[in-house]
Amino acid sequence: MLRTNKEKLVQISVCGEITHPKNNFPRITTEGKVKFLPGTGGITYNVMLGDKACGFVADHVEPGVSISNSDTMNNNGLNILTSVGNTAKVISGDAKGDLGYVTGMHGGIEHVLVYFPKETLEKLTIGDKIQIKSWGTGLELEDCPDVKVYNTDPDLVEKMNIRVLEDGTLEVPVVTTVPAHLMGSGIGAITAHRGDYDIMTADKEAFDASNLGELRFGDIILLEDCDNSYGRGYLKGAVSIGVVVHSDCVITGHGPGVTTLLTCQSPKIKGVIDPKANIGNYLGILK
């Protein structure tokens, strides 16, 4: 039984609007080519939770629905208080009342990403308001005080098949492990309470060595020697667990984005390979 302090956490509403896609400049690829591509924002009808995160003719594309607020302080609240797995409800427009789930946060653009079923996507429009029952900020694992939890709904944590071993180590199902030298854009961020950072793709041999081309949106992965305790950086022996939130990218230093879920400065998190370790399976979305 995974014991947490969830009964002490505050459930509080946050809200954002579906954003318009952002694309006001060309991308320069790692080969020096100039490309105009779909990217962040909007409603993506054919890029969904569970799809492969690599291979779309796109750059940083976000699955499902992307929301934010034009007011910076309000958007800070949306991004910091929201957790992966929180329930989301459409509160305006033709899809009013329909439900979905938060699947991640995308730093830099400061978007919260939300899954809705395809029938809901067809009713949504840019500008529709999405309200989230935020819950998870301050979550702690009572038997593992050295492990910090970020951006994770307490109910999702309980569904992730995490085991606490006798020595206090957490055993977490993951799809694969990623070496620290592949982590790029987002390193140096002052907090992991929001946003993500990217797995770099420019070195194809290194990327393929961990079978990262098969990653899917929602996959849970282990980041080796990565400390996300008070920001993001390299620390030998540290371990972080994250979820894949956006697609691969053509620009240097970028790639599939990873939002932090768990982190420890010592090797007290152990990954166990499980191809089904995806939040879509835990939330009952993927069949």
Side-chain angles (χ1 to χ4, degrees), residues 187-267:
I187 286 180
I190 62 171
T191 181
H193 269 293
R194 64 188 298 169
D196 70 312
Y197 67 139
D198 291 6
I199 307 170
M200 296 185 287
T201 63
D203 189 322
K204 190 175 187 306
E205 183 177 348
F207 191 75
D208 290 345
S210 295
N211 201 32
L212 299 177
E214 297 300 311
L215 285 178
R216 297 179 181 275
F217 299 117
D219 276 354
I220 306 295
I221 60 176
L222 184 147
L223 310 180
E224 298 174 332
D225 299 319
C226 289
D227 178 25
N228 285 199
S229 300
Y230 307 105
R232 299 188 185 98
Y234 173 85
L235 179 64
K236 188 173 178 60
V239 182
S240 292
I241 300 292
V243 57
V244 178
V245 299
H246 70 66
S247 80
D248 59 346
C249 319
V250 300
I251 56 179
T252 300
H254 291 255
V258 181
T259 290
T260 305
L261 302 181
L262 306 168
T263 190
C264 189
Q265 294 182 329
S266 59

Side-chain angles (χ1 to χ4, degrees), residues 84-273:
V84 175
N86 285 167
T87 55
K89 179 188 287 187
V90 184
I91 60 171
S92 69
D94 292 343
K96 185 175 180 179
D98 286 8
L99 299 177
Y101 291 100
V102 173
T103 62
M105 282 69 76
H106 188 179
I109 195 66
E110 309 308 332
H111 284 169
V112 170
L113 313 182
V114 185
Y115 162 85
F116 287 106
K118 289 186 177 180
E119 54 269 25
T120 296
L121 296 180
E122 295 295 338
K123 295 184 287 184
L124 291 170
T125 188
I126 290 170
D128 281 349
K129 291 182 178 294
I130 311 297
Q131 183 164 291
I132 294 165
K133 185 182 288 186
S134 73
W135 189 37
T137 303
L139 183 64
E140 296 177 355
L141 306 181
E142 295 184 351
D143 297 318
C144 307
D146 293 334
V147 176
K148 299 185 181 303
V149 187
Y150 293 120
N151 312 306
T152 314
D153 185 289
D155 286 343
L156 176 60
V157 167
E158 294 178 357
K159 295 174 181 176
M160 288 172 61
N161 301 318
I162 296 172
R163 295 178 58 218
V164 183
L165 305 183
E166 291 185 2
D167 63 356
T169 299
L170 276 190
E171 190 176 77
V172 183
V174 297
V175 169
T176 191
T177 61
V178 181
H181 61 260
L182 285 183
M183 299 311 297
S185 178
I187 286 180
I190 62 171
T191 181
H193 269 293
R194 64 188 298 169
D196 70 312
Y197 67 139
D198 291 6
I199 307 170
M200 296 185 287
T201 63
D203 189 322
K204 190 175 187 306
E205 183 177 348
F207 191 75
D208 290 345
S210 295
N211 201 32
L212 299 177
E214 297 300 311
L215 285 178
R216 297 179 181 275
F217 299 117
D219 276 354
I220 306 295
I221 60 176
L222 184 147
L223 310 180
E224 298 174 332
D225 299 319
C226 289
D227 178 25
N228 285 199
S229 300
Y230 307 105
R232 299 188 185 98
Y234 173 85
L235 179 64
K236 188 173 178 60
V239 182
S240 292
I241 300 292
V243 57
V244 178
V245 299
H246 70 66
S247 80
D248 59 346
C249 319
V250 300
I251 56 179
T252 300
H254 291 255
V258 181
T259 290
T260 305
L261 302 181
L262 306 168
T263 190
C264 189
Q265 294 182 329
S266 59
K268 291 189 176 181
I269 300 176
K270 176 185 177 183
V272 179
I273 299 300

Side-chain angles (χ1 to χ4, degrees), residues 26-41:
R27 295 296 196 184
I28 308 299
T29 73
T30 54
E31 296 84 19
K33 299 178 181 179
V34 178
K35 290 190 175 183
F36 286 86
L37 296 166
T40 58

Side-chain angles (χ1 to χ4, degrees), residues 18-89:
I18 300 178
T19 65
H20 197 285
K22 311 294 192 298
N23 197 340
N24 60 354
F25 56 89
R27 295 296 196 184
I28 308 299
T29 73
T30 54
E31 296 84 19
K33 299 178 181 179
V34 178
K35 290 190 175 183
F36 286 86
L37 296 166
T40 58
I43 304 163
T44 54
Y45 300 100
N46 64 336
V47 182
M48 303 284 289
L49 188 71
D51 288 346
K52 284 190 178 181
C54 299
F56 287 102
V57 182
D59 186 275
H60 289 84
V61 72
E62 299 166 340
V65 172
S66 305
I67 67 172
S68 69
N69 286 301
S70 57
D71 179 271
T72 299
M73 292 297 288
N74 289 347
N75 204 45
N76 286 341
L78 172 65
N79 279 268
I80 292 172
L81 295 176
T82 296
S83 292
V84 175
N86 285 167
T87 55
K89 179 188 287 187

